[in-house]
Amino acid sequence: MKPQFQPMAGQTFKVSELLQRGLRETEQSAADLAEAVQVPHEYMADLVAGRRRPPRPERTDLYEGITSFLRLGRNELSGCASAELAVTALPRGSGPPAKVRRALLELCEPATAQKLERDRTKQGSARLTDLIQRLTDVAQRAVRRKLSDQVTLRIAARQGGSTYVAMRFRVLEFLDATADTLTHDHVTGFIQPLVGFWDADIETGVLRVVMRPNDNQERQHR
């Protein structure tokens, strides 16, 4: 069995370093790896070079494919990714752009949406951003389950005049988005088709999300 990439005490390897080592040992290129896991070549080149933060292990299937292709230890890559993300966490911003915020509030119970918007103007966006992040988490979990459904993704790509790889990458990009990096395309392409309605108890913080009928039943999140 191939030995795992063991760092010395106090040393943490980055995902890019592990990928570079794996490519050298298997005599493969970043383009070969991109084709194997079905992502754009440019994306994989950036990941290998360390120009892009690695995706969160719980929100992607990339590490499974990469691990198999480069013959890495089972949890070697995801472990490195988790460690790297823990020390390079993105600072919390002021939430999504106004266009995205408005689109998400249109899905919210009107009275709650009005209160959240009033609170945002008076007290800042922290509360609303937290709710948007949790709403995004719900949608991402639903989308993550569909990532392995190649038939559905291929149909969606064909209907949208896109390629399978481009559609798959679009899904992967959404799965790694946060409340601060959400785009309007993320909302219209993923959240709106899944979420029929959401509401929140401002005092207790309980978030209620009602999925559209063709997805899952109503959920509650604290």
Side-chain angles (χ1 to χ4, degrees):
M1 180 182 294
K2 180 179 176 180
Q4 293 196 18
F5 201 24
Q6 295 291 346
M8 297 174 62
Q11 182 181 15
T12 301
F13 284 103
K14 294 183 177 180
V15 166
S16 59
E17 296 170 329
L18 186 54
L19 294 179
Q20 291 165 20
R21 187 208 69 168
L23 291 172
R24 286 195 305 270
E25 293 185 351
T26 57
E27 299 182 342
Q28 302 285 349
S29 68
D32 294 329
L33 181 55
E35 290 183 7
V37 298
Q38 298 179 303
V39 295
H41 291 187
E42 297 80 6
Y43 170 79
M44 186 56 67
D46 286 345
L47 198 59
V48 170
R51 293 188 293 266
R52 177 184 283 264
R53 293 177 79 252
R56 293 173 292 171
E58 73 278 9
R59 290 287 191 267
T60 188
D61 66 353
L62 280 182
Y63 296 135
E64 300 166 19
I66 294 173
T67 292
S68 177
F69 186 76
L70 297 182
R71 300 193 292 275
L72 300 172
R74 181 177 179 182
N75 297 316
E76 198 171 0
L77 187 55
S78 59
C80 281
S82 296
E84 181 175 344
L85 291 169
V87 298
T88 60
L90 292 173
R92 290 294 297 269
S94 57
K99 185 177 182 180
V100 173
R101 186 180 70 248
R102 287 194 297 268
L104 293 175
L105 285 175
E106 286 176 1
L107 297 173
C108 182
E109 198 283 323
T112 302
Q114 292 174 8
K115 179 170 177 52
L116 287 170
E117 187 61 21
R118 287 197 303 269
D119 289 351
R120 186 190 66 82
T121 58
K122 294 179 180 179
Q123 304 172 14
S125 60
R127 175 180 289 171
L128 179 56
T129 298
D130 177 68
L131 289 171
I132 288 175
Q133 180 62 64
R134 291 159 59 196
L135 177 65
T136 301
D137 288 341
V138 173
Q140 286 173 331
R141 284 194 289 272
V143 172
R144 174 65 180 86
R145 292 194 296 272
K146 299 178 180 180
L147 190 57
S148 59
D149 187 352
Q150 290 195 20
V151 173
T152 298
L153 288 182
R154 290 185 186 281
I155 292 174
R158 186 163 58 248
Q159 291 175 340
S162 181
T163 65
Y164 170 72
V165 169
M167 177 58 66
R168 173 173 156 76
F169 182 61
R170 184 168 168 243
V171 172
L172 288 168
E173 288 280 82
F174 168 66
L175 290 176
D176 210 41
T178 67
D180 292 317
T181 61
L182 275 178
T183 66
H184 194 256
D185 179 66
H186 291 151
V187 175
T188 58
F190 298 101
I191 297 179
Q192 286 178 346
L194 287 170
V195 176
F197 171 85
W198 69 276
D199 194 7
D201 186 312
I202 305 301
E203 300 302 321
T204 65
V206 172
L207 173 68
R208 177 188 175 208
V209 181
V210 179
M211 308 300 278
R212 294 191 182 275
N214 61 349
D215 197 74
N216 288 311
Q217 60 185 357
E218 176 181 315
R219 309 171 185 190
Q220 279 197 344
H221 299 265
R222 290 188 180 274

